[in-house]
Amino acid sequence: MLSSITPLGQRGRSGSWWVSVLAFGVGALAAGAATYSLFGLAGEVIGLDDDVLWVAWVAIAVALLLDAARVRPPGPRRQVNEDWLGTYRDWVVGLGFGLQLGTGIATYVTVWAVWALLLSTMVVGLPAAVLMGVMFGFGRSVLLVRTAGVETAGDLTRSMRVFAGFESRARSLTYAGYSLVLIFGASSAI
């Protein structure tokens, strides 16, 4: 998807990159907020609260171990439908892709951190779950902005190499995030 929604790709389809990116952002933020709010609400309905915060810490620790062992997390084995790109208006494509990717669980789930985050929203409840979902959607959206300078085939090739190089850094950032959350959890429990 990152190689498709670029200024170069949109120009080839006589579309607007900005319209697609803005619609994607709206969709991802809305889907993140809605999905994580539902999990937070579910936690409130079944009576989870700060007394069971340890469940979130355990889930995060287990997710860290599973991601470090490179165990594939459960979830759908599908990606957004690229056939939409030539079929629908820019805002429909952007919004549709954003809604799907912003949930974190409607397409490929690549790290256990997503499931740990969703479980954590059940423990923290609303409104924290809403904020967590918005931040997740924002994280999904910010990658598209990175393609703003892709105007030529060479730019696209360089950009995709950069994104491919991000995988190990993203994995390291995920582990760092896990560690910070676990350290914070341990220090708040003392």
Side-chain angles (χ1 to χ4, degrees):
M1 188 234 4
L2 285 174
S3 63
S4 302
I5 300 180
T6 64
L8 174 66
Q10 291 299 92
R11 191 171 56 247
R13 290 184 292 277
S14 299
S16 169
W17 178 79
W18 281 107
V19 168
S20 296
V21 169
L22 289 173
F24 183 96
V26 167
L29 291 171
T35 303
Y36 289 73
S37 294
L38 286 174
F39 276 79
L41 183 61
E44 288 184 4
V45 167
I46 60 176
L48 298 179
D49 58 20
D50 289 346
D51 293 338
V52 293
L53 198 53
W54 63 270
V55 171
W57 303 126
V58 169
I60 292 165
V62 169
L64 169 61
L65 293 173
L66 291 169
D67 279 340
R70 302 215 179 198
V71 175
R72 186 166 42 178
R77 299 285 174 234
R78 63 174 287 278
Q79 190 53 281
V80 293
N81 187 345
E82 288 196 14
D83 291 341
W84 287 21
L85 291 167
T87 306
Y88 301 110
R89 295 179 183 269
D90 299 332
W91 70 269
V92 174
V93 172
L95 186 66
F97 283 13
L99 286 169
Q100 292 175 70
L101 294 169
T103 67
I105 56 174
T107 60
Y108 284 103
V109 178
T110 58
V111 291
W112 284 90
V114 172
W115 294 112
L117 184 63
L118 284 168
L119 180 63
S120 297
T121 61
M122 293 180 74
V123 175
V124 299
L126 300 172
V130 177
L131 179 60
M132 292 165 76
V134 167
M135 294 307 296
F136 185 87
F138 176 77
R140 288 287 174 120
S141 301
V142 80
L143 289 176
L144 275 182
V145 176
R146 184 85 171 88
T147 66
V150 176
E151 297 289 345
T152 67
D155 292 340
L156 180 61
T157 301
R158 281 187 294 282
S159 181
M160 291 304 106
R161 280 192 194 127
V162 168
F163 280 123
F166 281 159
E167 183 178 356
S168 65
R169 284 186 230 142
R171 194 168 289 282
S172 295
L173 284 172
T174 300
Y175 296 149
Y178 277 135
S179 300
L180 286 173
V181 169
L182 290 172
I183 290 167
F184 174 75
S187 67
S188 67
I190 294 174

